[in-house]
Amino acid sequence: MAVFGSAKLLLAGAIAVASIGLGPAWGEERYDLSPDTSNRVRAERNEAAIKAIAPDFRFVTQGKFTVAISPWDPPIGTYATDSKTVVGADPDLASLLADSLGLELELVPVAWADWPLGVSSGKYDAVISNVTVTEERKEKFDFSTYRKDVLAFTVKADSPINSIKEPKDVAGLRVITGTGTNQEKIILEWDRENVAAGLKPIEVQYYDDRAAADLALQAGRADAEFNPNATRAYAASIKKDTKVVGIVSGGWPLTAEIAVTTRKGAGLANAITIAINDLIKSGKYGEVLKRWSVTDEAVEASQTNPPGLPKSGS
């Protein structure tokens, strides 16, 4: 997953995405976006996790867990009403992990495109920002999984489109997605399948920011958006100007998982995996997901470096 990239329009070949349902009933859900984080779920120090940190690992700042996060959309991660404090499901998980490791949390808002270099160079201890495990990324990073990767198709609330389940459903449509993301790979594959079948190509659209994408959809310059389910369902429930018409696995046709991402071989991943599994067992993990209405994306257990999405062409 990633957020919106460089502004450009691209005519591409269609991608076939398998629907896996229509997601939770978001209804009138509301979220606390105040800058007061004193009500965050907190955890106890986890000695087993701390012991699993490699002896030669050094945190960016002694006594702190420095985590990069791209505050791109609620309920995963966004700015609070003070436009400074980062809140959401991922920040809350970062807080739990900092507690587990006996550290103070230092959240660093970054652009999506900047986290890989920052983590690789040791500028951040980890990134917790809806990053999907892929085999290509595993060459440079270690992963500790914590959520399922689920994507959604959304359209205007009054759109005649009521269901998108497979590639042919988006043939000839103008679809917004994020550049450099798994959803982009899926939609481009759907497009290739459609074109090969003699159907109309998809016009894939990319925008620099959320507001520009929303405007394009509401103004009729785009027919649908294909991005992470949690954020699109949240927006639909709050603004009421869009609706979710289909969801798919972020690894279509395979399943995919979101993970805490650390530098390859740094010696922190196993400790984080131990901490997450203890948080799952204690119920703290579930409390965070319930608070932000993403319980449908919960994992039963965290894994260190599980099989990721394959490289393109493999």
Side-chain angles (χ1 to χ4, degrees):
M1 176 277 158
V3 282
F4 297 96
S6 56
K8 57 185 178 180
L9 293 179
L10 170 67
L11 283 178
I15 300 178
V17 180
S19 172
I20 58 175
L22 286 180
W26 292 82
E28 296 298 321
E29 287 285 351
R30 294 295 184 269
Y31 304 92
D32 181 6
L33 299 183
S34 75
D36 180 9
T37 59
S38 62
N39 61 348
R40 271 181 175 157
V41 182
R42 303 305 298 265
E44 300 296 322
R45 181 183 173 99
N46 186 320
E47 297 300 337
I50 294 171
K51 187 176 181 180
I53 299 172
D56 59 349
F57 180 81
R58 296 293 179 268
F59 288 95
V60 173
T61 301
Q62 186 175 1
K64 292 187 177 183
F65 184 37
T66 303
V67 176
I69 186 166
S70 180
W72 47 286
D73 252 341
I76 301 303
T78 190
Y79 284 110
T81 52
D82 65 352
S83 301
K84 295 187 298 183
T85 307
V86 180
V87 296
D90 278 356
D92 278 9
L93 177 69
S95 178
L96 286 176
L97 290 175
D99 289 344
S100 299
L101 299 177
L103 301 168
E104 177 186 348
L105 177 62
E106 180 76 20
L107 277 180
V108 183
V110 300
W112 171 266
D114 294 341
W115 72 257
L117 179 58
V119 173
S120 296
S121 65
K123 187 176 181 179
Y124 315 119
D125 297 317
V127 58
I128 304 178
S129 197
N130 219 56
V131 179
T132 302
V133 182
T134 70
E135 288 302 311
E136 184 174 4
R137 286 174 179 161
K138 280 170 64 179
E139 293 177 356
K140 295 183 178 180
F141 306 102
D142 286 330
F143 293 95
S144 301
T145 57
Y146 67 94
R147 253 192 314 108
K148 296 175 184 176
D149 186 351
V150 183
L151 305 171
F153 281 101
T154 53
V155 298
K156 283 183 65 176
D158 60 357
S159 171
I161 300 171
N162 292 309
S163 177
I164 295 178
K165 295 182 177 181
E166 53 188 326
K168 66 181 182 62
D169 295 335
V170 288
L173 297 185
R174 298 163 297 174
V175 180
I176 297 168
T177 196
T179 185
T181 63
N182 294 324
Q183 54 265 34
E184 179 192 36
K185 291 181 180 179
I186 292 170
I187 206 67
L188 293 178
E189 177 55 34
W190 277 21
D191 190 53
R192 280 190 286 271
E193 290 191 11
N194 281 348
V195 171
L199 301 177
K200 292 182 179 180
I202 299 168
E203 180 183 311
V204 183
Q205 299 184 4
Y206 306 89
Y207 291 92
D208 281 332
D209 55 52
R210 177 74 263 154
D214 288 344
L215 180 60
L217 192 62
Q218 293 303 317
R221 294 196 298 272
D223 301 303
E225 180 175 348
F226 184 47
N227 272 312
N229 173 65
T231 62
R232 295 303 86 224
Y234 167 86
S237 72
I238 297 299
K239 296 182 179 180
K240 309 296 186 183
D241 58 359
T242 59
K243 60 185 178 181
V244 176
V245 294
I247 67 171
V248 301
S249 168
W252 179 92
L254 307 173
T255 57
E257 291 191 353
I258 302 296
V260 177
T261 308
T262 54
R263 181 166 50 86
K264 187 72 175 179
L268 187 59
N270 285 335
I272 291 175
T273 299
I274 290 171
I276 294 173
N277 280 323
D278 188 66
L279 293 167
I280 292 173
K281 183 178 180 180
S282 71
K284 301 289 187 180
Y285 166 84
E287 287 183 51
V288 165
L289 268 58
K290 182 177 180 181
R291 178 185 181 190
W292 296 101
S293 296
V294 289
T295 53
D296 281 0
E297 300 180 14
V299 296
E300 294 183 0
S302 176
Q303 301 180 73
T304 299
N305 293 328
L309 298 182
K311 296 181 180 180
S312 299
S314 62

